Amino acid sequence: MMPFYFAGYTMHFKHLVAFIFLQNYFSGNCSIVSVELSQPMLENQLALCAVRIIEKYFPQNAPVIIQTPNIWKNSPVEIFKTSADETEMFLKMMYEALANDFVIVGYTKDNKTKETALQFPISIVMLITGDQYEHMVYMVSEYLQRIETIASIRESKIIVVTTKIPVDNRIQFFMASIFLSLIWDVLYASDTIFLIPDSRWRAEYETEFPAVNVFGWMPDEQNDPCLRELNRVSHLDCWWSDEVGFLFNEDLFPSKDITDMKGCTFVVKTFEYPPFMIE
């Protein structure tokens, strides 16, 4: 198994163990569901869900950073090349349905951010695909390394989207926990949600829209009050279709302001990012 790095940091052992478990889980009788024939329907549904969330929660006068395998297809990493065509519909649907401008942040040779600092709150959509979970983790690590400097300057709202259909609800929660905790470990971005197709949808049901489940997390639900790690995620809502919308109309980005430090140490770091000094 290849080593993984997240914006310069080695992947936490707990994440590696988690993905070994997932890979072993799917290597038995529970195989991944093939969605080759229904991929356009699935991508269309995921894109529409993301668009409606952006319209409601993201700044409408600010562009959205988009990262998909299609945008990264010039990367020498094989997983981006093999997934590029499969995610073209998602990018096309986002472009047609979203009123916001796009900031296309794709592959560069040294994978460093070339854009100037963006002077507005950052909104980010990351699409992850693949049949192997270690490939999905590597894909996210490349995305994060590319945007780390931009996303760290301003408070970010992030939507992580996967086309991978889990075999059951337990795996849905497990995947949400892994990717939400990874984003927190690297960016400390609390306003992050995870979109994943409902496990009950299957490719043979081509006349039905695939439901999309939305997961997030809350500070007061974590075992560690200091939030050094996340161990619990919540199912926030379910997107049914563009006609029906969300089933529960819950707040997908509730306030996570902390008023009681509960004995935790508040750490302040400074570093230089010319022409800024960031604290």
Side-chain angles (χ1 to χ4, degrees):
M1 184 176 294
M2 69 182 76
F4 301 116
Y5 299 92
F6 292 89
Y9 301 99
T10 308
M11 186 176 74
H12 289 218
F13 178 74
K14 61 181 179 181
H15 298 140
L16 179 60
V17 172
F19 273 88
I20 290 174
F21 164 78
L22 283 173
Q23 205 62 47
N24 290 337
Y25 183 91
F26 285 117
S27 64
N29 295 327
C30 299
S31 59
I32 301 299
V33 177
S34 173
V35 292
E36 182 178 353
L37 296 178
S38 302
Q39 188 75 14
M41 177 188 289
L42 178 61
E43 288 187 38
N44 182 77
Q45 183 77 330
L46 288 167
L48 275 177
C49 178
V51 165
R52 299 306 175 228
I53 293 173
I54 291 170
E55 290 175 343
K56 182 174 182 180
Y57 295 99
F58 288 23
Q60 295 305 297
N61 60 341
V64 178
I65 292 176
I66 304 288
Q67 291 191 302
T68 73
N70 188 271
I71 295 172
W72 278 69
K73 61 185 177 183
N74 292 327
S75 167
V77 180
E78 190 64 27
I79 56 173
F80 289 110
K81 297 178 181 179
T82 56
S83 302
D85 293 339
E86 299 175 4
T87 58
E88 186 174 356
M89 178 61 70
F90 181 90
L91 189 61
K92 181 176 182 291
M93 189 66 205
M94 291 283 292
Y95 178 78
E96 292 177 350
L98 194 61
N100 299 60
D101 293 330
F102 283 176
V103 176
I104 303 299
V105 179
Y107 168 76
T108 59
K109 189 173 182 179
D110 60 358
N111 203 22
K112 299 297 183 181
T113 301
K114 303 299 183 183
E115 291 75 14
T116 57
L118 303 179
Q119 300 303 308
F120 37 74
I122 304 301
S123 304
I124 303 167
V125 177
M126 293 187 285
L127 179 66
I128 52 178
T129 61
D131 292 329
Q132 302 293 324
Y133 278 93
E134 60 261 37
H135 291 172
M136 297 170 69
V137 174
Y138 188 80
M139 189 176 290
V140 172
S141 74
E142 292 291 289
Y143 288 165
L144 293 177
Q145 187 175 357
R146 182 73 170 85
I147 66 171
E148 182 190 20
T149 305
I150 295 178
S152 298
I153 292 173
R154 294 274 185 164
E155 184 178 352
S156 307
K157 279 188 170 64
I158 302 175
I159 302 176
V160 182
V161 186
T162 182
T163 59
K164 196 173 189 68
I165 301 178
V167 295
D168 56 37
N169 289 339
R170 183 166 67 105
I171 297 301
Q172 274 194 117
F173 274 88
F174 205 86
M175 289 179 65
S177 178
I178 291 295
F179 286 107
L180 289 173
S181 66
L182 287 177
I183 301 295
W184 176 249
D185 288 345
V186 176
L187 298 180
Y188 296 106
S190 60
D191 284 337
T192 304
I193 58 175
F194 183 71
L195 309 187
I196 184 171
D198 189 271
S199 61
R200 292 166 291 186
W201 187 77
R202 294 294 181 261
E204 60 267 24
Y205 304 152
E206 293 189 13
T207 59
E208 298 182 8
F209 288 107
V212 179
N213 287 313
V214 184
F215 290 86
W217 62 274
M218 290 299 294
D220 56 0
E221 295 177 352
Q222 309 307 311
N223 286 348
D224 181 4
C226 301
L227 303 179
R228 287 180 290 259
E229 65 177 16
L230 306 182
N231 72 296
R232 190 176 302 240
V233 298
S234 304
H235 178 250
L236 301 177
D237 215 325
C238 180
W239 169 266
W240 197 253
S241 68
D242 206 29
E243 290 74 25
V244 176
F246 286 100
L247 296 185
F248 310 113
N249 289 316
E250 295 289 339
D251 186 356
L252 302 184
F253 293 96
S255 173
K256 295 179 181 176
D257 292 342
I258 296 176
T259 56
D260 182 358
M261 292 294 291
K262 299 180 180 178
C264 299
T265 301
F266 184 71
V267 179
V268 177
K269 296 182 179 180
T270 63
F271 59 94
E272 292 186 9
Y273 184 67
F276 306 105
M277 173 68 77
I278 303 175
E279 297 184 359

